[in-house]
Amino acid sequence: MSYAAPESAHIMTILSTNAESLLPVLSKKLESWSDDKPKVLFFALSKSLPRSVMTQAIGSLNRTPYSSRVGFLSSALPASLIRPANGESKSSDLHSISVAAFPADHAIPFRSSIPGTARIAVGRWTSQKQAWMRGTEARSDRLDHTSDWRSLWGKENVDLQIPQDLLEVNQNDVQAIFFATDSSPQGMLEGLDAHYSHAKILGTTAALTPFETGREHTLFCDTETDKGKVYEDGAVGIALCDPSSSQTSLERIFEQLEPIGPRLELTGARGNVISSLDDHNAAQQFLRVIMKQSLASEKTKTMEASQVRDLSSVVDKEDEFYVSVSQSKSSAPFLLAKIASGHPMRGTLSLETDTELGKRTGSHQDSGRRYVQFYRPAPTQPLSLQGQRNQARFVFLTYPGDSKQQVSPDPAAEWAVDHTDGATELPNVFLAGSEQGWFARNSTTMPTCACNVPYARASLCDTG
């Protein structure tokens, strides 16, 4: 994902297995960034930081003469991002602090409490009753008024609300939106997609922190309307408003997957279920692809039950397969999701996604074609965070907490700077990890889509 940073913006990530060594680098950098111009801070602290270090880091961020600060606790990053110090193993915990400072006249901090999908719970979860009923009256009133249920189906934000802090912002001025959220941002995303369809959107799910802070997630907000608040739900973020900046683009990277078979046209889908590919049974097309058989054609009959059983028996229940969805046979995917289940006789493939795969109604009209590509996990290989030294960018990485997969900066980029006591700085890079995934959008016709595929990442960078 490409992004043009406003002039005078400052971005960095500092990493170390020695948490104490991060503090002097953070203080020095924040002091060097200070000037007479008001700034807005966006930051991420890894939840692995010891409590004493986290308290000092937050204190340093709060002492800066900046007008507003929003941030979150993020998941751990792979230790292979830095060279281990003498006597340390690569399995040592890697602590990180990422900070971005933007001129206040180009950055609007916001806090969102717009509800998303209610959590599924079993038993007498009385605390969830209000969440389950939330939004039903609004949908009923809208249905009585319009008699059109299609625009309300699956909606969490039927009134398309946006965060209060963004109400007075000129929609045409918003270039990009960054955020960190709890596990249910659907309502906020529906509002942002409707009001800022031309802006790039990049977000991440904040780390689960019940043992670190006693909160499900930990989101920091220090603005004019929320002074020094800490939340466990909702979202915090910034909207960048710089209409004079250069054009931007979004990059999603899935290095740990390999494509199998050709792209097929998506000819039938509803919700998260694909029913037809190239006008044929979707599940049977999938089986043909992974078995490297000829795809179905007009002359091909539907498989007999015995054929389906023979092919299905080859696919182990533990095997993982993924599906990407694109707007053309050559364009980059806007969605990648794991196949949750399939029914070869019915022809359906169910994906782990909240995105509507069929033709959309409402704010995102889409009458064009879509294409599907199947993937399987590729042989494990080191991942490389590529980028040029002076290229400002945000990178959100899905990294499983129990993974031992190595990820390292591109050695050809020469962008890492070593400090004393083992701290490593990545200048002009805001890097944050999440076990639950990230969200991205770069198209005016597609909604913001979630991605929780292991090792996938989205990168928003300044192409100059």
Side-chain angles (χ1 to χ4, degrees), residues 338-407:
K338 184 180 178 181
I339 297 178
S341 62
H343 196 296
M345 296 309 297
R346 293 178 183 173
T348 56
L349 291 173
S350 176
L351 307 187
E352 293 183 355
T353 180
D354 293 326
T355 302
E356 168 62 54
L357 300 175
K359 301 300 182 184
R360 300 191 62 82
T361 60
S363 60
H364 287 277
Q365 297 290 344
D366 176 26
S367 59
R369 294 181 174 182
R370 296 183 180 182
Y371 294 86
V372 159
Q373 174 75 63
F374 294 111
Y375 293 85
R376 61 159 48 102
T380 302
Q381 56 184 352
L383 302 180
S384 178
L385 300 181
Q386 300 176 350
Q388 298 178 9
R389 183 181 181 87
N390 296 321
Q391 192 179 66
R393 59 210 187 94
F394 285 69
V395 181
F396 289 155
L397 168 70
T398 303
Y399 194 76
D402 59 351
S403 175
K404 301 193 183 318
Q405 172 66 40
Q406 293 190 7
V407 181

Side-chain angles (χ1 to χ4, degrees), residues 1 28 46-47 50 109 114 148 152 226 261 312-313 318 333 350 353 391 407 420 425 445 453-454:
M1 181 174 188
K28 183 178 179 180
S46 64
K47 70 175 186 178
I114 300 171
D148 182 13
L152 307 177
D226 287 286
S312 300
S313 64
E318 302 301 320
S350 176
T353 180
Q391 192 179 66
V407 181
T420 57
E425 178 190 352
T445 59
V453 176

Side-chain angles (χ1 to χ4, degrees), residues 148-165:
D148 182 13
W149 61 267
R150 291 173 298 178
S151 62
L152 307 177
W153 188 263
K155 292 290 186 182
E156 301 297 334
N157 183 3
V158 296
D159 294 322
L160 299 178
Q161 302 174 48
I162 58 175
Q164 292 286 326
D165 301 304

Side-chain angles (χ1 to χ4, degrees), residues 279-295:
D279 293 315
H280 288 81
N281 179 307
Q284 293 182 17
Q285 290 281 56
F286 165 69
L287 290 174
R288 289 186 174 98
V289 166
I290 62 175
M291 295 303 298
K292 298 182 179 180
Q293 293 188 0
S294 299
L295 294 171

Side-chain angles (χ1 to χ4, degrees), residues 11-26 29 77-85 88 94-99 385 389 407-410 414-429 431:
I11 304 171
M12 72 162 184
T13 295
I14 42 179
L15 312 162
S16 181
T17 53
N18 175 14
E20 293 280 353
S21 67
L22 301 176
L23 296 174
V25 180
L26 175 64
K29 285 292 181 178
L77 289 169
S80 55
L81 276 170
I82 64 172
R83 292 184 292 274
E88 289 184 343
L94 180 64
H95 311 288
S96 65
I97 299 177
S98 298
V99 185
L385 300 181
R389 183 181 181 87
V407 181
S408 62
D410 181 0
E414 298 180 354
W415 51 331
V417 177
D418 293 330
H419 291 268
T420 57
D421 298 326
T424 298
E425 178 190 352
L426 304 182
N428 297 314
V429 177
L431 176 61

Side-chain angles (χ1 to χ4, degrees), residues 21-38:
S21 67
L22 301 176
L23 296 174
V25 180
L26 175 64
S27 298
K28 183 178 179 180
K29 285 292 181 178
L30 291 175
E31 183 179 354
S32 68
W33 293 352
S34 299
D35 53 32
D36 296 333
K37 298 179 181 180

